[in-house]
């Protein structure tokens, strides 16, 4: 599965944002911030990572459909389902 260039840019932006959020969570823990605030920010990091993963899978699905008769065989429904469940 290959991800198109537009999706790569969007995924990288989301991952960089998640990286910044994660650094913020680490700083919050080191500073002894309130548990509720830390968990809220950690959930935001998790959602950002999930969105990046979903973008990769969705782009890969589109790519597989567009190149189904290309060099590589299209992904099976089971393979696609496994990718989605890996993010669940």
């Amino acid at each position: 599965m290959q991800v198109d260039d537009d999706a790569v840019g969007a995924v990288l932006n989301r991952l960089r944002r998640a990286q910044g959020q994660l650094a913020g969570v680490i700083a919050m823990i080191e500073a002894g911030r309130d548990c509720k605030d830390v968990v809220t920010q950690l959930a935001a990091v998790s959602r950002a990572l999930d969105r990046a993963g979903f973008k990769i899978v969705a782009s890969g699905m589109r790519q597989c459909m567009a190149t189904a008769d290309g060099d590589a065989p299209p992904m099976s429904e089971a393979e696609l389902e496994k990718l989605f469940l890996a993010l669940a």
Side-chain angles (χ1 to χ4, degrees):
M1 175 171 68
Q2 195 165 5
V3 180
D4 67 33
D5 291 339
D6 291 335
V8 168
V11 167
L12 288 174
N13 285 339
R14 289 175 184 184
L15 291 174
R16 286 185 186 107
R17 187 177 314 124
Q19 184 178 31
Q21 290 172 318
L22 184 56
V25 170
I26 292 168
M28 291 172 73
I29 292 170
E30 291 174 340
R33 293 279 301 269
D34 182 61
C35 180
K36 181 180 174 184
D37 295 337
V38 172
V39 171
T40 299
Q41 286 305 309
L42 196 54
V45 173
S46 180
R47 284 190 303 273
L49 292 174
D50 287 345
R51 287 187 194 110
F54 291 138
K55 182 72 170 177
I56 290 170
V57 172
S59 175
M61 285 178 57
R62 187 174 56 248
Q63 188 75 14
C64 287
M65 294 167 115
T67 61
D69 53 347
D71 295 337
M75 292 181 73
S76 70
E77 184 176 331
E79 290 171 316
L80 292 170
E81 181 179 356
K82 185 176 178 179
L83 285 175
F84 274 112
L85 290 175
L87 295 169

